Amino acid sequence: MELDPLLLSRLQFAFVVSFHAIFPVFTIGLASYIALLHGLFYGTANPVWDRLAQFWTRVFAVVFGMGVVSGIVMSFQFGTNWSHFSQAAANFLGPMLSYEVVTAFFLEAAFLGVLLFGRDKVPQGVHLFAALMVALGTFISSFWILAANSWMQTPAGAVLIDGQFRVTDWFAAIFNPSFPWRFAHMVMASFLTGGFVVAGVSAWYLLIGRDVQANRRALSMCLWLLLVLAPAQAVVGDFHGLNTLEHQPTKVAAMEGNWERGSHVPLLLFAIPDQQAQTNRLEVGIPSLASVILAHDPAGEVPGISEVSPEEQPPVWLVFWSFRVMVGLGLLMIAVVVAGLWLRRGGRLYTHRGFLQVMRLMSVAPFVAVLAGWIVTESGRAPWLVYEMMTHAEGVTPSLTGGMALFTLVGYVAVYAVVFWAGVYYLTRVVRQGMLPEDSEPASVEHAKRPLSAAHATFDRDASPTWKE
């Protein structure tokens, strides 16, 4: 059997992107949380905030390092596996990737050094500023990367002339039609990921009785944030879906598993798409609900997959089920945080072991949801590399053989397995070690040693866990 270099190149890039994506989606949210903790410590001198900040900064450093290592390979692959695309899109993607490095990566790397090693060497205000700059850097990085990826989804401000994309309007190219909603959706996903991970780790500490007072505060803060963000993400996702319906109707049709354009389209809860027969098997759905969601009218029309030729259709089963995994986990997140609000009102938020176990397990859910969302986004535009302008087949390196692609794919899987094992190993050590001892000297000693007000000294470190937010 002859190996297909195009298929293997797509699998390789999908693997590398999926592996890399789980790190920045966590660090974006975590960096903002660390900056908030430093701000609270700066304003209150309460050592609890300092201990939490130092602990999560150590976690951030490990994850940031794994993200850097895994991200380098993606740019490398553009030249090895997608040389035609790299040459054609260089006028736009080259500046985008350069701006990301110059304005974001250097900012993050420089101030992360201050954040990690300057705790007792710079004034506390400078340390806080470093935390803010690291958080800002993560946002700037996501801005440029999502602008580039969104342009591939909804190209604008550029024309294709003699196999070259030439930018005619930089503003239109960067702020292309899908960018605002995709950027908002991704940033909120990052906050949800950071929030659920912090809440999950805090819940585990409460289960084993470690640093109870500090982790009560961390869990409480995260649950208040998630109570707002989880439903808000559903609203943003709805607007993002409507934007996709306007600009990429075939992707939406695949998400809904709808083969023929029509009205009163049901929302399918379960189906087995059969792309060869251009139909679904074993459908279970809610009548007219897809039309209501997408057109806000039971009689509203929903596009059909069969409106385009089979060669231009995405892998429907993959898009269909990935979308349901993402939405299902989103609804589960909303249910969990609402349950947390109910337990808070009953005074059992920190003592209900079943809920704490659920929160611990839910720390994995946002990563799975993000990966499912990326599968929907990237697989849903197939076979287009740049939507309706360049296909995957047109962008692949012509001299690439199946054997070469398979060799590098196996190599990346092996290397990334080592990177992932090492990262998980060190993260486990950091989490098991826990926070700094309560009697450790906080940063900015002069500031931190001033008398605490009654509002700040609301707990006794030797007392039983009775503190309430």
Side-chain angles (χ1 to χ4, degrees):
M1 182 180 66
E2 186 177 354
L3 298 173
D4 183 0
L6 174 58
L7 176 61
L8 290 170
S9 293
R10 292 184 63 190
L11 288 174
Q12 177 178 296
F13 203 87
F15 170 76
V16 172
V17 169
S18 298
F19 186 90
H20 172 71
I22 62 177
F23 302 118
V25 78
F26 178 35
T27 56
I28 292 170
L30 186 59
S32 295
Y33 177 65
I34 291 170
L36 174 62
L37 292 173
H38 279 288
L40 289 171
F41 177 60
Y42 184 82
T44 67
N46 191 333
V48 168
W49 305 126
D50 184 55
R51 295 175 64 228
L52 284 168
Q54 297 311 312
F55 169 73
W56 286 108
T57 299
R58 285 184 286 146
V59 173
F60 178 89
V62 176
V63 179
F64 181 82
M66 295 175 69
V68 171
V69 171
S70 61
I72 292 174
V73 179
M74 289 195 299
S75 299
F76 182 72
Q77 283 185 103
F78 281 129
T80 59
N81 295 62
W82 305 97
S83 60
H84 268 190
F85 169 68
S86 299
Q87 184 178 19
N91 291 329
F92 178 72
L93 291 186
M96 292 296 101
L97 297 178
S98 299
Y99 296 157
E100 192 269 338
V101 172
V102 172
T103 63
F105 180 73
F106 287 168
L107 185 70
E108 292 176 274
F111 283 101
L112 180 59
V114 178
L115 187 63
L116 287 174
F117 306 112
R119 180 169 177 255
D120 301 316
K121 299 177 177 63
V122 299
Q124 190 185 1
V126 175
H127 205 228
L128 170 60
F129 181 74
L132 292 170
M133 289 302 99
V134 170
L136 177 63
T138 62
F139 281 106
I140 297 175
S141 178
S142 61
F143 174 90
W144 293 117
I145 296 301
L146 282 172
N149 184 267
S150 297
W151 178 81
M152 295 166 66
Q153 301 282 342
T154 53
V159 293
L160 184 61
I161 302 175
D162 297 329
Q164 292 284 325
F165 288 100
R166 303 192 179 178
V167 180
T168 58
D169 185 337
W170 279 100
F171 186 86
I174 295 172
F175 296 95
N176 54 80
S178 66
F179 170 72
W181 290 116
R182 296 186 75 237
F183 181 66
H185 197 53
M186 190 63 185
V187 168
M188 294 187 71
S190 300
F191 280 125
L192 284 170
T193 303
F196 270 104
V197 171
V198 173
V201 173
S202 301
W204 179 70
Y205 280 136
L206 291 177
L207 283 168
I208 63 176
R210 286 184 61 181
D211 294 301
V212 170
Q213 202 59 53
N215 285 292
R216 281 187 167 206
R217 293 195 174 194
L219 178 61
S220 178
M221 290 172 64
C222 289
L223 285 176
W224 282 123
L225 173 70
L226 297 173
L227 185 64
V228 175
L229 284 186
Q233 178 72 313
V235 175
V236 172
D238 179 63
F239 281 106
H240 180 26
L242 296 176
N243 178 270
T244 306
L245 175 64
E246 178 182 356
H247 298 283
Q248 295 177 297
T250 304
K251 179 189 290 188
V252 172
M255 289 158 57
E256 298 299 332
N258 188 53
W259 294 94
E260 301 292 338
R261 177 178 287 271
S263 58
H264 296 283
V265 175
L267 177 67
L268 298 179
L269 303 178
F270 179 89
I272 301 177
D274 185 341
Q275 197 149 1
Q276 185 173 2
Q278 299 282 287
T279 188
N280 295 325
R281 306 189 186 281
L282 303 177
E283 288 187 354
V284 177
I286 303 175
S288 301
L289 188 55
S291 292
V292 172
I293 293 174
L294 293 171
H296 298 166
D297 181 357
E301 283 196 345
V302 176
I305 305 167
S306 59
E307 292 179 29
V308 299
S309 65
E311 294 76 20
E312 295 185 0
Q313 294 174 4
V316 178
W317 68 271
L318 182 62
V319 177
F320 178 85
W321 280 109
S322 296
F323 179 69
R324 272 143 189 79
V325 169
M326 179 185 68
V327 173
L329 287 173
L331 295 175
L332 180 61
M333 293 177 199
I334 295 174
V336 167
V337 296
V338 170
L341 179 64
W342 180 72
L343 289 173
R344 187 192 297 271
R345 291 172 61 88
R348 296 183 295 158
L349 179 63
Y350 312 112
T351 57
H352 194 289
R353 297 189 65 84
F355 177 76
L356 295 177
Q357 288 283 10
V358 169
M359 288 305 305
R360 184 172 67 88
L361 297 174
M362 283 297 293
S363 60
V364 180
F367 295 103
V368 179
V370 167
L371 290 178
W374 272 109
I375 291 172
V376 171
T377 297
E378 299 304 306
S379 298
R381 74 169 177 215
W384 301 105
L385 196 54
V386 180
Y387 193 67
E388 295 188 334
M389 298 183 76
M390 175 179 281
T391 65
H392 290 104
E394 293 169 337
V396 74
T397 300
S399 61
L400 187 69
T401 65
M404 294 164 61
L406 179 62
F407 177 78
T408 54
L409 173 59
V410 172
Y412 285 139
V413 171
V415 171
Y416 276 28
V418 174
V419 172
F420 186 75
W421 177 85
V424 171
Y425 171 76
Y426 283 108
L427 279 176
T428 302
R429 287 190 60 180
V430 170
V431 172
R432 288 187 180 279
Q433 181 181 355
M435 288 180 282
L436 296 172
E438 291 189 50
D439 57 354
S440 65
E441 195 70 50
S444 189
V445 176
E446 180 180 356
H447 177 78
K449 284 187 175 179
R450 73 186 186 196
L452 299 179
S453 66
H456 300 148
T458 54
F459 66 94
D460 180 353
R461 66 179 59 175
D462 296 323
S464 58
T466 57
W467 182 82
K468 295 182 180 180
E469 283 70 12

